[in-house]
Coordinates of all heavy atoms in Angstrom, one line a residue:
I1187 N -13.3 -99.0 -2.1 CA -11.8 -99.3 -2.2 C -11.1 -98.4 -1.2 O -10.6 -97.3 -1.5 CB -11.2 -99.1 -3.6 CG1 -12.1 -99.9 -4.7 CG2 -9.9 -99.5 -3.7 CD1 -11.6 -99.5 -6.1
S1188 N -11.0 -99.0 0.0 CA -10.5 -98.0 1.1 C -9.1 -98.2 1.6 O -8.6 -97.5 2.4 CB -11.4 -98.3 2.4 OG -11.4 -99.7 2.7
G1189 N -8.4 -99.1 0.9 CA -7.0 -99.4 1.4 C -5.9 -98.6 0.6 O -4.7 -98.8 0.8
T1190 N -6.4 -97.7 -0.4 CA -5.4 -97.1 -1.2 C -5.1 -95.7 -0.7 O -5.8 -95.1 0.1 CB -6.0 -96.9 -2.7 OG1 -7.2 -96.2 -2.6 CG2 -6.2 -98.3 -3.2
R1191 N -3.9 -95.1 -1.1 CA -3.5 -93.7 -0.8 C -3.2 -93.1 -2.1 O -2.4 -93.6 -2.8 CB -2.4 -93.7 0.1 CG -2.6 -94.2 1.5 CD -1.3 -94.3 2.3 NE -0.9 -93.0 2.8 CZ 0.2 -92.3 2.5 NH1 1.0 -92.8 1.6 NH2 0.4 -91.1 3.1
I1192 N -3.9 -91.9 -2.3 CA -3.6 -91.1 -3.5 C -2.8 -89.9 -3.0 O -3.2 -89.2 -2.2 CB -4.9 -90.6 -4.1 CG1 -5.8 -91.8 -4.5 CG2 -4.6 -89.9 -5.4 CD1 -5.2 -92.8 -5.5
V1193 N -1.6 -89.7 -3.6 CA -0.6 -88.7 -3.2 C -0.3 -87.8 -4.3 O 0.4 -88.2 -5.2 CB 0.6 -89.3 -2.6 CG1 1.6 -88.2 -2.1 CG2 0.3 -90.2 -1.4
P1194 N -0.8 -86.6 -4.4 CA -0.3 -85.6 -5.4 C 0.9 -85.0 -5.0 O 1.3 -85.0 -3.8 CB -1.5 -84.6 -5.4 CG -2.1 -84.7 -4.0 CD -1.9 -86.1 -3.5
P1195 N 1.7 -84.5 -6.1 CA 3.1 -83.9 -5.7 C 3.0 -82.5 -5.2 O 2.0 -81.8 -5.2 CB 3.7 -83.9 -7.1 CG 2.6 -83.7 -8.1 CD 1.3 -84.5 -7.4
N1196 N 4.0 -82.2 -4.5 CA 4.2 -80.8 -3.9 C 3.2 -80.4 -3.0 O 2.9 -79.2 -2.8 CB 4.4 -79.8 -5.0 CG 5.5 -80.3 -6.0 OD1 6.6 -80.6 -5.6 ND2 5.2 -80.2 -7.3
E1197 N 2.5 -81.3 -2.3 CA 1.5 -80.9 -1.2 C 2.2 -80.4 0.0 O 3.3 -81.1 0.4 CB 0.5 -82.0 -1.0 CG -0.4 -82.4 -2.1 CD -1.6 -81.3 -2.0 OE1 -2.5 -81.5 -1.3 OE2 -1.5 -80.4 -2.9
T1198 N 1.6 -79.5 0.8 CA 2.3 -79.1 2.0 C 1.2 -79.3 3.1 O 0.0 -79.1 3.0 CB 2.8 -77.6 2.0 OG1 1.6 -76.8 1.7 CG2 3.8 -77.5 1.0
K1199 N 1.7 -79.7 4.3 CA 0.7 -79.8 5.5 C 1.5 -79.3 6.6 O 2.7 -79.7 6.9 CB 0.3 -81.3 5.6 CG -0.7 -81.4 6.8 CD -1.1 -82.9 6.8 CE -2.3 -83.2 5.8 NZ -3.5 -82.4 6.2
T1200 N 0.8 -78.5 7.6 CA 1.5 -78.2 8.7 C 0.8 -78.8 9.9 O -0.4 -78.8 10.1 CB 1.1 -76.6 8.9 OG1 1.8 -75.9 7.8 CG2 1.8 -76.0 10.2
I1201 N 1.7 -79.5 10.7 CA 1.2 -80.2 11.9 C 1.9 -79.6 13.1 O 3.1 -79.7 13.3 CB 1.6 -81.7 11.8 CG1 1.0 -82.3 10.5 CG2 1.1 -82.4 13.0 CD1 1.5 -83.6 10.1
S1202 N 1.1 -79.1 14.0 CA 1.7 -78.4 15.3 C 2.8 -77.5 15.1 O 3.8 -77.6 15.7 CB 2.2 -79.6 16.2 OG 1.0 -80.4 16.5
G1203 N 2.7 -76.6 14.0 CA 3.6 -75.7 13.7 C 4.8 -76.1 12.8 O 5.6 -75.2 12.3
H1204 N 4.9 -77.4 12.4 CA 6.1 -77.8 11.5 C 5.3 -77.9 10.2 O 4.3 -78.8 10.0 CB 6.6 -79.0 12.0 CG 7.9 -79.5 11.1 ND1 9.1 -79.0 11.3 CD2 7.9 -80.2 10.0 CE1 9.9 -79.5 10.4 NE2 9.2 -80.3 9.6
T1205 N 5.9 -77.4 9.1 CA 5.4 -77.6 7.7 C 6.2 -78.7 7.0 O 7.4 -78.6 6.9 CB 5.4 -76.3 7.0 OG1 4.7 -75.2 7.6 CG2 5.0 -76.4 5.5
F1206 N 5.4 -79.6 6.5 CA 6.0 -80.8 5.7 C 5.7 -80.5 4.3 O 4.6 -80.4 3.9 CB 5.3 -82.1 6.1 CG 5.7 -82.5 7.5 CD1 5.0 -82.1 8.6 CD2 6.7 -83.4 7.6 CE1 5.2 -82.5 9.8 CE2 7.0 -83.8 9.1 CZ 6.3 -83.4 10.1
V1207 N 6.9 -80.3 3.5 CA 6.7 -80.1 2.0 C 6.8 -81.3 1.4 O 7.6 -82.3 1.7 CB 7.9 -79.2 1.5 CG1 7.8 -79.0 0.0 CG2 7.9 -77.9 2.2
G1208 N 5.9 -81.6 0.4 CA 5.8 -82.9 -0.3 C 5.1 -83.9 0.6 O 5.5 -85.1 0.6
F1209 N 4.1 -83.5 1.4 CA 3.5 -84.4 2.5 C 2.9 -85.6 1.8 O 2.1 -85.5 0.8 CB 2.5 -83.6 3.2 CG 2.0 -84.5 4.5 CD1 2.7 -84.7 5.6 CD2 0.8 -85.1 4.3 CE1 2.2 -85.3 6.6 CE2 0.3 -85.9 5.4 CZ 1.0 -86.1 6.5
G1210 N 3.1 -86.7 2.3 CA 2.5 -88.0 1.8 C 3.7 -88.9 1.2 O 3.6 -90.1 1.4
S1211 N 4.6 -88.2 0.6 CA 5.8 -89.0 0.0 C 7.0 -89.0 0.9 O 7.9 -89.8 0.5 CB 6.2 -88.4 -1.4 OG 6.7 -87.0 -1.1
S1212 N 7.0 -88.3 2.0 CA 8.0 -88.4 3.1 C 9.4 -87.8 2.4 O 10.4 -88.1 2.8 CB 8.4 -89.9 3.5 OG 7.2 -90.4 4.1
H1213 N 9.2 -87.0 1.4 CA 10.3 -86.3 0.7 C 9.9 -85.1 0.2 O 8.8 -84.8 -0.4 CB 10.8 -87.3 -0.4 CG 12.1 -86.8 -1.0 ND1 12.2 -86.0 -2.1 CD2 13.4 -87.2 -0.6 CE1 13.5 -85.8 -2.3 NE2 14.3 -86.5 -1.5
E1214 N 10.8 -84.0 0.3 CA 10.5 -82.7 -0.2 C 10.2 -82.5 -1.6 O 9.5 -81.6 -2.1 CB 11.4 -81.7 0.4 CG 11.4 -81.5 1.9 CD 12.1 -80.1 2.3 OE1 12.7 -79.5 1.4 OE2 12.0 -79.8 3.5
G1215 N 11.0 -83.3 -2.4 CA 10.9 -83.1 -3.8 C 10.5 -84.3 -4.6 O 11.2 -84.6 -5.8
Y1216 N 9.7 -85.2 -4.2 CA 9.3 -86.3 -4.9 C 8.6 -86.0 -6.2 O 7.7 -85.2 -6.2 CB 8.5 -87.3 -4.1 CG 8.5 -88.8 -4.5 CD1 9.7 -89.5 -4.4 CD2 7.4 -89.3 -5.2 CE1 9.8 -90.8 -4.7 CE2 7.5 -90.6 -5.7 CZ 8.6 -91.3 -5.5 OH 8.8 -92.6 -5.9
P1217 N 9.1 -86.6 -7.3 CA 8.7 -86.0 -8.6 C 7.3 -86.6 -9.2 O 6.8 -86.1 -10.2 CB 9.8 -86.5 -9.6 CG 10.3 -87.8 -8.9 CD 10.2 -87.6 -7.5
H1218 N 6.8 -87.7 -8.6 CA 5.6 -88.3 -9.1 C 4.3 -88.0 -8.2 O 4.4 -88.0 -7.0 CB 5.8 -89.8 -9.3 CG 6.9 -90.2 -10.1 ND1 7.0 -89.9 -11.5 CD2 8.2 -90.7 -9.7 CE1 8.1 -90.4 -11.9 NE2 8.9 -90.7 -10.9

Side-chain angles (χ1 to χ4, degrees):
I1187 305 175
S1188 57
T1190 58
R1191 293 175 77 243
I1192 306 297
V1193 182
N1196 304 316
E1197 287 284 279
T1198 60
K1199 181 176 280 292
T1200 300
I1201 304 172
S1202 300
H1204 184 89
T1205 300
F1206 293 85
V1207 179
F1209 186 80
S1211 61
S1212 303
H1213 190 272
E1214 288 196 357
Y1216 201 70
H1218 302 290

